Amino acid sequence: MSQPQRRAVLNLYKTLLHLGREWPQGYDLFKKRLHKVFVRNSEETDPNKIDLMIKHGQFVVKEIEALYKLKKYRAMKRRYYDDS
């Protein structure tokens, strides 16, 4: 793995760990699953496949952020526009 790819993987891991703090099922479960996925793919040496996995990880980051924003939006909507 080249140095830029290694840096990208580490940044992705740190970003996902940070996002996992608000995970609904708990941070410990998120951290355990995240670690398992990264360890499972740690032996990969093909640069193209590593790039694909990094891109997939960045997609997952965007999806998690979208879910958190939706959760916050729904909470604010309930708080300010309660129909009852």
Side-chain angles (χ1 to χ4, degrees):
M1 181 184 320
S2 68
Q3 190 63 25
Q5 283 181 331
R6 179 174 170 78
R7 192 175 314 120
V9 169
L10 289 174
N11 286 337
L12 180 64
Y13 186 75
K14 288 177 185 178
T15 302
L16 286 167
L17 273 179
H18 180 71
L19 287 173
R21 291 180 183 170
E22 296 180 34
W23 194 250
Q25 287 88 16
Y27 179 68
D28 292 332
L29 177 68
F30 185 88
K31 184 176 159 183
K32 184 171 62 172
R33 287 183 179 176
L34 180 68
H35 182 74
K36 185 169 66 172
V37 169
F38 273 78
V39 167
R40 183 177 61 215
N41 294 318
S42 67
E43 299 298 320
E44 187 61 49
T45 57
D46 182 24
N48 295 328
K49 197 166 183 182
I50 292 171
D51 286 337
L52 284 174
M53 287 189 278
I54 290 170
K55 287 180 183 177
H56 179 72
Q58 292 167 345
F59 173 77
V60 169
V61 166
K62 290 179 185 176
E63 288 293 313
I64 292 172
E65 287 174 345
L67 286 173
Y68 288 164
K69 288 178 183 178
L70 180 63
K71 180 181 173 184
K72 289 178 183 180
Y73 168 77
R74 287 180 176 166
M76 286 183 63
K77 187 175 178 185
R78 269 194 312 269
R79 194 173 300 139
Y80 292 110
Y81 300 109
D82 194 13
D83 290 337
S84 58

